[in-house]
Structures are given as structure tokens and as C-alpha cells.
Amino acid sequence: MSTAIGSSAVPAGRVLALTGGVGGAKLARGLAGVLKKQQLTIAANTADDFDYWGLRICPDLDSVMYALADLNDDQRGWGVKDETWRTLIAMRRLGGDEWFQIGDQDAATHIFRTQMLASGASLAEVTGKLCRGLGIAAILLPMTESRVATRVKTDRGDLEFQEYFVRDQCEPAVRGLSFDGIDSARLHPDIVELLESDNLSAIVICPSNPFVSIDPILSLPRCRELLKAAKAPVIAVSPIIAGRAVKGPAAKMMRELAMPATATAVAHYYGDLLDGYVLDELDAEHAEDVAALGLEVCVAPTVMTSVASKVSLAEIVLDFAAGISLRN
Ligand code: FO1
């Protein structure tokens, strides 16, 4: 077990981060603050994506993008800071859908994306162009170019992900999850190439919801096998701190799926995919249980409330990964 001291190790090779929105996007911002341009590739979940107002919405790609550009609204956890809502208000006046709130600045992202996709661009190309427009140096990729959609089996019937998450405020009890289209989907080829490369120093599973943010990525054909075969340690940062998720329904889902809502249970869930696990200081007493799973453990302050705390956690995670690659 290690207790983090933070010595800012910039690895020699590249780093791959797997993430959903909100919590994961914060660590992605931290990693981008430590690593050199183009050294960081972020693979984001796209199984939350859906069509609304005739626009293609990719919430996790957008949360990461706004976080990397320091444009994100940290309080809300999604969307752009200093947002205005005139379009939404006008839509309400027309009697249009308003359960999913699109801000005025955010709308430009979705219109830009929808237009480019309609003219034949790939989602990765659109995302690259959006990132360049926002001055982002890191490489942000959708997990796949294929359409994958999370469906939530609940006590109120089967729901599309955003119906469950936003419209119904995560209130229905979750009985199971499935990812439509996953069997025929393909991990983005640039992610495959990176996972097979000799120049990869670390793979970081960000503190995102394991079931609806990370699982869609891990469920893509070949993903788990490529992660296990990669020549870099796989480190996950716990999304659960003292039995609670910082934001979102992860802990509630764990209880509904008959799992203890603990950081250890998440480590157990990822199983033999991991080489190392980062626990929050409040969960230091779980370190022995995690180590008993055969993992290296790092105890660190994982709550990210400022850019400095995001960068500091990123440094700790990269140092931890460097130590693991030396030992193996
Ligand atoms: N989350 C909400 O809880 N309510 C919203 O109205 C909402 C709107 C929204 C618009 C654009 C976007 O990119 C994200 C948005 N989110 C909203 C967040 C998002 O749906 C979820 O946080 C993710 O899907 C879960 O990672």
C-alpha cells in the first residue's frame, strides 16, 4: 500500500484515460494539466448519447470537452458555466420538450455536431474539430463510432438512459442494464492502436459511474482483453467515497444491484482488469481489503473541487502508475 505524497511524475509514454462525464471529466482535466500536448488520450463513453430537438447530444464527450477547456459548470456538473437559457425558454413557450435542458452556448455544440455528422464526418472528426475550436490539446475520442445506447431495466419498466437519468431523476430502482448495439460495435481504432502500442505508460479508469459510464467502454468487443494485454498498468480511481458517490446515482445503483456501496466493491467489480486502485483518505480502512484482491493500493485525497486539486490527484495517479510499472 502507498500513501500519496505527490511528486509530479510526467511519464515518458502516453496515457489513456477511460471516462464518463462529471467526475471522470474532472480527473481528465487534471491529467491534461500534467501531461504534455498529445500525450493524453481520453476515451469517453458514448452510450448516453441520444437525439433531442433533432440534435445529436453526446453528454460525456461534452462534459470532458468543457472541463478540458475550463468552460464547465462545476456546480451543475454538466454544461457550460455562465450559461443562458433563452432558447430553452422560447422552446417552452412553443410547447416543445424541455425536460432535458440545453443552454444557449451548449446548443451551438450540438448544432455544430449534428451538421457535421449529417455531412458525413465521423464522431471522432467532429469531436476533434470541437476540441480544436476550444483550444484543447489532449486527444478526446468517442469510445466507438458505432451507435450504442444504454437501456435501464427498472421497477417502472425499461427506460432509455436519459429518461432514467434526467427525466426521472434516477428515482426508479435499477434492476439491470444493457447496451443496445454493443455486440456489433467496435472500439475506436485509435484507442485499439494506443492499447497495442509500446509507448503507453498508464491506463487510468477515471472516477465515473462503473455501471453506466465505464461498463459500456469495457463491454465493447475486445476491450477487456486489450486492456489486460496492454504494456501499462491499469489504475482505477474510486468513484465511491465513504459509501457515497460525489455526484450521481452510483451508490444508489450499487444498493439496488445488491452490492455494498463501498469503494472496495467497485474494485471487486472491475476485478482482474486492474493493477492498482486509488482510494480516498476517508476510505483508508478499506486498503487491506483492496490489497487482498491482489491490487496495489494508493490512499489519496480524491475530492476535486478546484483545478489545483484535479492536477494534484492526476500527479498522484501518474506517480502511482509509474511505481507499479517499475515493480512489474
Ligand atoms: N443532466 C441533468 O441532470 N439535467 C439536464 O437537463 C441535463 C442536460 C444536459 C444537456 C447537455 C449535456 O451535454 C448534458 C446534460 N446533462 C443534464 C448531463 C447528462 O445528461 C448526464 O450527466 C450524463 O449523461 C451522465 O454522464
Side-chain angles (χ1 to χ4, degrees):
M1 184 187 117
S2 76
T3 298
I5 313 162
S7 68
S8 87
V10 178
R14 294 173 63 184
V15 172
L16 174 65
L18 310 184
T19 189
V22 194
K26 290 184 185 183
L27 183 56
R29 170 63 184 89
L31 290 165
V34 178
L35 296 166
K36 296 183 211 123
K37 283 185 184 176
Q38 307 276 296
Q39 198 181 6
L40 172 64
T41 298
I42 302 156
N45 169 42
T46 55
D48 295 7
D49 298 7
F50 77 130
D51 294 308
Y52 181 80
W53 290 359
L55 302 173
R56 190 68 185 156
I57 318 284
C58 303
D60 288 354
L61 281 172
D62 291 344
S63 292
V64 175
M65 201 169 66
Y66 295 146
L68 294 178
D70 288 329
L71 283 175
N72 60 309
D73 186 303
D74 248 343
Q75 285 304 101
R76 232 181 11 251
W78 49 270
V80 180
K81 66 183 171 191
D82 303 323
E83 187 58 283
T84 54
W85 306 94
R86 297 173 73 92
T87 313
L88 185 72
I89 291 164
M91 189 61 86
R92 181 177 303 157
R93 199 161 53 211
L94 296 173
D97 278 338
E98 57 165 322
W99 60 270
F100 194 81
Q101 302 189 312
I102 305 282
D104 298 330
Q105 299 176 73
D106 191 31
T109 301
H110 311 309
I111 294 167
F112 188 94
R113 173 186 295 121
T114 305
Q115 262 182 346
M116 271 192 78
L117 289 173
S119 65
S122 68
L123 185 55
E125 284 166 346
V126 182
T127 305
K129 197 148 187 191
L130 285 164
C131 284
R132 281 191 294 282
L134 296 178
I136 293 166
I139 302 165
L140 173 60
L141 290 170
M143 65 178 195
T144 181
E145 287 292 341
S146 320
R147 291 274 170 115
V148 175
T150 300
R151 286 196 72 81
V152 190
K153 199 184 276 284
T154 77
D155 58 348
R156 301 186 202 163
D158 278 12
L159 300 171
E160 286 179 18
F161 180 73
Q162 297 296 347
E163 292 174 343
Y164 160 77
F165 196 90
V166 175
R167 191 195 64 193
D168 297 350
Q169 302 282 296
C170 309
E171 278 168 11
V174 175
R175 303 284 182 241
L177 293 149
S178 60
F179 309 119
D180 285 359
I182 198 83
D183 293 340
S184 57
R186 296 286 166 264
L187 193 57
H188 193 284
D190 293 1
I191 303 171
V192 174
E193 195 185 319
L194 185 54
L195 283 169
E196 288 177 334
S197 113
D198 289 331
N199 188 29
L200 186 62
S201 290
I203 301 166
V204 180
I205 301 183
C206 292
S208 291
N209 186 306
F211 313 106
V212 296
S213 298
I214 302 299
D215 254 358
I217 307 177
L218 300 181
S219 303
L220 285 162
R222 288 189 69 214
C223 186
R224 279 185 166 267
E225 136 200 354
L226 284 164
L227 284 166
K228 280 190 204 166
K231 296 185 184 75
V234 181
I235 311 295
V237 177
S238 176
I240 299 290
I241 301 176
R244 301 172 64 166
V246 175
K247 199 164 173 65
K252 176 176 179 280
M253 275 185 183
M254 292 179 87
R255 289 188 294 271
E256 290 164 355
L257 294 170
M259 261 177 237
T262 62
T264 307
V266 175
H268 193 262
Y269 184 73
Y270 286 138
D272 62 358
L273 202 60
L274 300 184
D275 298 296
Y277 195 64
V278 181
L279 282 170
D280 189 78
E281 288 169 336
L282 289 178
D283 285 321
E285 78 268 21
H286 288 264
E288 261 181 46
D289 290 343
V290 175
L293 297 171
L295 303 181
E296 298 289 334
V297 188
C298 169
V299 178
T302 66
V303 180
M304 295 171 277
T305 51
S306 62
V307 173
S309 57
K310 293 168 194 172
V311 168
S312 164
L313 180 59
E315 287 174 346
I316 289 167
V317 169
L318 293 172
D319 278 348
F320 180 45
I324 289 179
S325 43
L326 285 178
R327 272 190 291 272
N328 285 350

